[in-house]
Amino acid sequence: MVHLSLTPLNGNQSLAKGWPFQGVFGLTRITTHGTIRTRLGDDRTPLLASKISILVRCYETRLNKLGGVVQTNVLVEESQTLWSADPSQQIQPPPFAPIGDLDLPFRFVLPPNLQGPSTCHMQEYRVFWRIEA
């Protein structure tokens, strides 16, 4: 089993307060830094994968009166591939390779003319941004 963690380069390590970034949405470039770490579990069994990517997505969610999610749409998606399987080490017909202990640093820059809304929270509607690996 492989453990995957997404860690900011600087700033607050608590994700409850938000991911650290620099810039103003719609006016300047938004820049964020971090690291994707993969660590082997106690059984030391590597995982076969074709690639590891980082995604920045803007979601639109409609909620019911009790706060449950009724519908979710992806409004904006930007991605970067940080690691991909080497075709010379492929194990199966598609290019898969074992993942062990890796540190994959990333720097993500969103342009100021990106088509997407800022964060918005209302009683039955919510727009938010998320960083995913």
Side-chain angles (χ1 to χ4, degrees):
M1 184 168 149
V2 175
H3 300 281
L4 183 79
S5 63
L6 189 60
T7 313
L9 183 65
N10 55 11
N12 193 354
Q13 296 291 330
S14 170
L15 296 180
K17 299 200 180 225
W19 188 269
F21 66 93
Q22 298 150 349
V24 179
F25 187 78
L27 296 176
T28 63
R29 290 182 291 172
I30 295 178
T31 306
T32 185
H33 306 273
T35 303
I36 295 178
R37 287 192 173 94
T38 60
R39 297 291 178 250
L40 291 174
D42 294 335
D43 59 358
R44 306 295 296 168
T45 305
L47 176 72
L48 293 179
S50 60
K51 67 179 181 176
I52 297 177
S53 298
I54 184 83
L55 294 103
V56 176
R57 289 181 172 169
C58 178
Y59 287 97
E60 166 189 55
T61 302
R62 300 208 182 271
L63 307 171
N64 61 16
K65 301 243 185 230
L66 300 175
V69 176
V70 175
Q71 180 182 2
T72 301
N73 298 322
V74 176
L75 300 177
V76 178
E77 179 178 315
E78 297 284 325
S79 66
Q80 285 180 355
T81 300
L82 302 177
W83 178 87
S84 60
D86 186 12
S88 65
Q89 296 179 352
Q90 79 181 32
I91 294 176
Q92 296 176 358
F96 285 101
I99 294 177
D101 293 338
L102 293 174
D103 285 337
L104 303 168
F106 67 88
R107 178 176 184 260
F108 221 103
V109 179
L110 298 174
N113 60 352
L114 186 67
Q115 298 296 317
S118 183
T119 302
C120 172
H121 294 277
M122 292 182 223
Q123 187 173 0
E124 296 180 6
Y125 182 75
R126 188 174 154 200
V127 175
F128 58 96
W129 289 81
R130 182 179 285 171
I131 296 179
E132 302 173 349

